[in-house]
Structure formats: structure tokens, C-alpha cells
Amino acid sequence: SSPIRCHALILAAHSPVLRHLLTEAAAEQEEQTCLFLPDVPRAVVVLLLQLCYTGLITVSRQEMEEMTAVADLLQMDAVLSI
């Protein structure tokens, strides 16, 4: 599927795991960085990004469970505290 564009600073601010990956990528190149999360559904990534950018989302119980699993993997404490 097509890439989802977002700001590295937003990702880094919400996840120490992503901050580490982005820091490593920045040390290796100066171009845009692509992170591949092959086991993460696109819809979950979109919801997590919406939450990171706006602080607000409306999700079903199943979506919340999926988001919580990914947030735990990425150590996104703000999502886990919801």
C-alpha cells in the first residue's frame, strides 16, 4: 500500500522505539526516512497518527485492542494510559 506521510518529530515525541529508529536512520542518510511496520495494520497506524497529531480519536473496542497492542510494542505510553 502507499506510504503514510508524517513528521518524524511527532513520531519521536510519542515513542522511544520510533525515536531510536529515526535517530539511526538520520545518522545514515539525509533523505526522507521510511519506516516499515509489516505486522501492523494500516488502519491502526492511521488511528495512532491521528491520536498523536490531535489527541482525539473515536474507536471501537476492537480497534482499541489493536491500537493497545501496537502502542505497547512501540512503547507509546500516552496511548497506553487511555
Side-chain angles (χ1 to χ4, degrees):
S1 67
S2 62
I4 301 171
R5 295 180 59 91
C6 60
H7 297 93
L9 288 175
I10 296 292
L11 296 177
H14 288 88
S15 166
V17 173
L18 294 176
R19 182 181 316 118
H20 176 75
L21 292 172
L22 291 165
T23 301
E24 284 186 350
E28 294 178 12
Q29 66 183 18
E30 292 184 26
E31 297 177 21
Q32 294 179 352
T33 301
C34 290
L35 298 177
F36 295 96
L37 304 171
D39 297 329
V40 180
R42 181 182 180 85
V44 172
V45 172
V46 169
L47 288 170
L48 285 171
L49 286 173
Q50 182 181 357
L51 181 61
C52 289
Y53 273 91
T54 67
L56 301 169
I57 54 170
T58 302
V59 295
S60 68
R61 182 176 298 251
Q62 174 153 350
E63 289 170 324
M64 189 63 197
E65 289 173 5
E66 292 173 346
M67 285 179 51
T68 301
V70 174
D72 186 44
L73 177 72
L74 298 175
Q75 300 175 6
M76 299 177 80
D77 294 337
V79 174
L80 297 171
S81 66
I82 294 176

